[in-house]
Amino acid sequence: MKSTVQKNTNILDEFFGLRENKTNIKTEILAGFTTFMTMAYALLVIPNLLKFSGMNAPGLRGDEAAMLSILNDPVIGSAFTGTCIVSAIGTLIMALYANLPFAVAPGIGLTAFFSFSVCLNLGYTWQQGLAAVMISGILFIIITATSIREKIVESLPNNIKTAITSGIGLFITLIGLKGGGIVVSDPGTLIKFGNFTDKAVILTLVGIIIMGILMAKNVKGAMLISIIFTTIIGIPMGITNIEGLKLITAPPSVSHTFMAMDFKGLLNTSGAGVIGTITSIIMVVLTFSLVDLFDTIGTLVGTAQKADMIQEDGSIKNMKKALLADAIATTISSIFGGTTTATYIESTAGIAEGGRTGLTSMVVGILFLCSLFLGGIVGIVPSQATSPALIIIGVLMIESIKEVDFSDLTEAIPAFFTIVIMPFTYSIANGIAAGVIFYPIMKLGTGKHKEVHPIMYILSILFILRFILLPE
């Protein structure tokens, strides 16, 4: 028995290079559990975002779908199952192919873009949106396997890249504030404070306080712990519905969202015309691809130093493999009814615990598979418990704004519009488009055209055509 254990230990050591990376099995397993605990909230948040796209049995969109959940809607249950499967597959690819301690799952910002921009604002069905996700995944695979990826990265100025992260943070915050009832629509002022005597609003505020304090105290798994506590507090308040609660349940069928992509509908040229449809699809696919690209690169760059992944030539260890793993996961995600995947920044929690290899992410992937049997618990979690997570994520993402150079208006104005247009128009795509359009205009108008990469002009023209030919 002892020799068998020793043999398995040697296999893991050799495959993942544990000694080479100055780590061990115990450390990697602990790191894996830590990463999972810090990002497990995504399994709760993502299906709740997807349902607003119309991904539910009655096909309700927007606020009309608010009362639906995993427990009472088979399509949302299917989305939950798909999220668990995709997260497991993507993370295991990262583990076994890239050998890096990163977890992969459908991105929350990209899921918000899918539901609120692609489906609600642009009017695509969620099935057509999944087709766009698959196209972007295939495109991402191509640009990662070639030099196109580097050229696109080089073309976008650093301030725009940074602004995209900040803008998405504000947009996600607005969704969280709205979902928790803290801000509501108003015909006179567009938005206003909600009713702070409402139990639902009170529960949301309690959740924000709990989560904020736990995160400030660096408690591991703060978001997940907060969601659990807020859900429990909501029981006596009458917000959390525990009817039908089961600790262990069979995974909801994934059949409702599996292979549901509607390419024919996506390419339907009726109404907008051929050019309008093509530019709209390009805009959607481009946004999925670019946001995913920079989100993954940002995560890798931001954690490389801490995880000792900087190589002698200054490059990041296995970066191309990591990007390719993420791209493959996105393509697989569309098959299961999921949105564009992202390498989660929460992976840094596991790295802080000593995770250095793919064994960490393999543990996370296995835990994602185990989550398939917890749908009965996940289904009772109210939006008032998950909305605080969106708000706090906004806090974390807005931090990057300090990296924007506001001293140069030719840089500041495009970055500013990138940030503010996202929440003010309820569209991530509009924010990116605004920044890409204003950047070359500001540089051309001030005689700094040499600072603009040629690809930026192409992207700018594409976005301008999109607004002219297919106005929202």
Side-chain angles (χ1 to χ4, degrees), residues 159 162-163 166 396-406 419:
N159 285 321
T162 303
S166 300
L396 300 177
M397 294 183 76
I398 198 67
E399 180 187 8
S400 63
I401 199 172
K402 65 185 181 183
E403 304 298 331
V404 177
D405 180 13
F406 285 104
I419 294 169

Side-chain angles (χ1 to χ4, degrees), residues 145-408:
T146 64
S147 61
I148 298 176
R149 172 180 60 89
E150 287 82 2
K151 292 180 180 178
I152 293 178
V153 173
E154 292 170 2
S155 72
L156 281 174
N158 289 330
N159 285 321
I160 295 294
K161 297 175 189 175
T162 303
I164 289 174
T165 301
S166 300
I168 291 176
L170 283 181
F171 179 64
I172 290 176
T173 299
L174 179 59
I175 294 173
L177 292 172
K178 183 172 178 286
I182 295 177
V183 298
V184 295
S185 61
D186 181 82
T189 60
L190 295 181
I191 59 173
K192 66 176 182 180
F193 263 140
N195 181 3
F196 283 81
T197 62
D198 188 307
K199 291 181 179 180
V201 176
I202 293 173
L203 184 60
T204 302
L205 292 173
V206 169
I208 293 173
I209 293 170
I210 293 174
M211 190 174 295
I213 291 174
L214 290 179
M215 294 197 70
K217 292 173 68 67
N218 295 318
V219 174
K220 295 204 171 41
M223 285 189 175
L224 183 60
I225 293 171
S226 173
I227 290 174
I228 292 171
F229 269 98
T230 306
T231 299
I232 294 173
I233 294 171
I235 295 175
M237 296 177 68
I239 304 298
T240 302
N241 183 5
I242 60 174
E243 184 178 348
L245 171 64
K246 295 180 181 179
L247 295 179
I248 303 295
T249 59
S253 172
V254 75
S255 61
H256 299 282
T257 55
F258 183 73
M259 292 294 289
M261 302 86 69
D262 180 10
F263 290 98
K264 183 178 180 181
L266 179 66
L267 301 174
N268 188 354
T269 58
S270 61
V274 177
I275 297 179
T277 299
I278 291 175
T279 54
S280 178
I281 292 173
I282 288 175
M283 194 257 333
V284 171
V285 171
L286 191 65
T287 302
F288 275 136
S289 301
L290 289 179
V291 175
D292 185 24
L293 179 69
F294 297 126
D295 192 45
T296 301
I297 289 177
T299 300
L300 292 173
V301 172
T303 57
Q305 192 69 47
K306 190 168 187 177
D308 297 324
M309 293 192 298
I310 301 294
Q311 302 185 106
E312 292 183 3
D313 60 357
S315 63
I316 297 175
K317 175 185 174 183
N318 293 345
M319 184 174 185
K320 191 168 186 175
K321 287 186 175 181
L323 291 170
L324 192 56
D326 186 56
I328 294 171
T330 290
T331 307
I332 295 173
S333 182
S334 64
I335 295 174
F336 285 93
T339 54
T340 307
T341 60
T343 303
Y344 270 60
I345 193 65
E346 284 81 3
S347 302
T348 55
I351 292 173
E353 288 292 335
R356 293 293 181 270
T357 74
L359 181 55
T360 292
S361 45
M362 188 175 80
V363 172
V364 179
I366 293 171
L367 291 174
F368 276 135
L369 287 176
C370 294
S371 300
L372 282 167
F373 302 94
L374 302 177
I377 297 176
V378 174
I380 71 167
V381 179
S383 61
Q384 291 77 15
T386 56
S387 290
L390 297 176
I391 296 167
I392 297 299
I393 289 171
V395 175
L396 300 177
M397 294 183 76
I398 198 67
E399 180 187 8
S400 63
I401 199 172
K402 65 185 181 183
E403 304 298 331
V404 177
D405 180 13
F406 285 104
S407 64
D408 181 354

Side-chain angles (χ1 to χ4, degrees), residues 112-124:
F113 170 70
F114 177 92
S115 293
F116 296 98
S117 293
V118 176
C119 296
L120 292 184
N121 285 359
L122 295 178
Y124 290 104

